[in-house]
Amino acid sequence: MAMNRQPLGRHVAASAGVTLLELVVAMAITLVVGAAAVLLLGPAHDAFRRESEANDTRHRMRVAADVLRTGLRGAGAGVYGAQHPGPLVQWLPPVLPRRMGRWSPDPPTTAFSDRVTTLGIPATALQAPLASAMSSRGGPVEVDNGSGCPVARAACAFTPGTQALVFDRTGAWDPIVVTDVTGNALGHWPPQLSKAYEPAEDAQVVALEMQVLYHDSSRRQLRRYDGNQSDLPVVDEVVELELSYLADPAPPRSPPPPGVEDETCVTSADGSPILPALGPTPAPLVELPLAAFADGPFCGEPANHWDADLLRVRAVRVRLRVQARDPAVRGPDPRLFVNPGHASGSRLLVSDLAWDFQVAPRNLSFGR
């Protein structure tokens, strides 16, 4: 039988090759399919990106608002186990529109809208009257280790590192950090207080809970400072914090005078108020401008002055604004975005969130 033989190499080349036309057609189909996939997946990707940024922004807004509410509501918790119990606002202002504490404090007679210091006494706080008059403003604070103090604990259980508040009926007060304890005597920072306190003016020492909530505009952060060492960020991408203060139109009558026929910074010798009423009373709360907290009359000692109008404060109005972290989802319009971004289309936009709310610290309602 005759066999039809062909060269092997020619057969392989004819069966394995593709033409240029076939290659071009395949590439065109691939490009069309790829473009269709991009068109279909692009909106889904943008929606996912936008929703992720929007959820993150809403979460940061909730956290920032909760921190501010909690900090303000607890302001003014008072002294309930000491010789003269009562809310702190009967002695001094527990809400101050400035930064206090060990590091970078604001001058005493200044006021700002982007920061607030709150003072309060923890429910289980250490508290004791002074046992003897201080020998000087830089002398130790000697506490009475009597009733109300833990049994068999020197210095009423105050220990180095404890934050405390020294105050009396004259309106003088000093936040301190206990540096050392010798017997019942407390060494303190700052080394010089605003005055030499004495038992005759009902001077007391209580454990203190201080916090400063403030906006760091350069870092775009809400931060919390404890008045001593800890100064930490709470929430990022906060682009605005504005605080305003609502006051009782009736003039304050506390702190009480040290004795009969004595004047204070808020009452004259006959007991009549020094500050004027802000309108008919009783009446709704009125907003005070920040300038009202820096024009006097001033209470306390010159080294730690505070404006008497601070005793009127009953509520704080908060305006908070938070932005998306990614500039690719922020638009270019400066009227809508504090820090404009470069979002490529409206479907990517995540607007700045702004929230106005009001907080009434429960202990300020006891002010008179």
Side-chain angles (χ1 to χ4, degrees), residues 97-115:
R98 61 184 175 94
R99 178 186 173 100
M100 296 182 60
R102 190 165 190 168
W103 306 115
S104 304
D106 294 319
T109 56
T110 56
F112 303 88
S113 63
D114 62 351
R115 67 204 74 170

Side-chain angles (χ1 to χ4, degrees), residues 312-330:
R312 297 183 190 260
V313 174
R314 298 292 178 266
V316 181
R317 185 177 291 138
V318 181
R319 178 169 178 78
L320 187 62
R321 191 180 185 102
V322 177
Q323 72 176 9
R325 187 187 306 274
D326 188 353
V329 299
R330 299 198 302 266

Side-chain angles (χ1 to χ4, degrees), residues 164-187:
L165 182 69
V166 188
F167 64 99
D168 63 21
R169 282 182 176 268
T170 70
W173 55 285
D174 286 273
I176 64 171
V177 176
V178 178
T179 56
D180 59 87
V181 179
T182 304
N184 289 332
L186 310 178

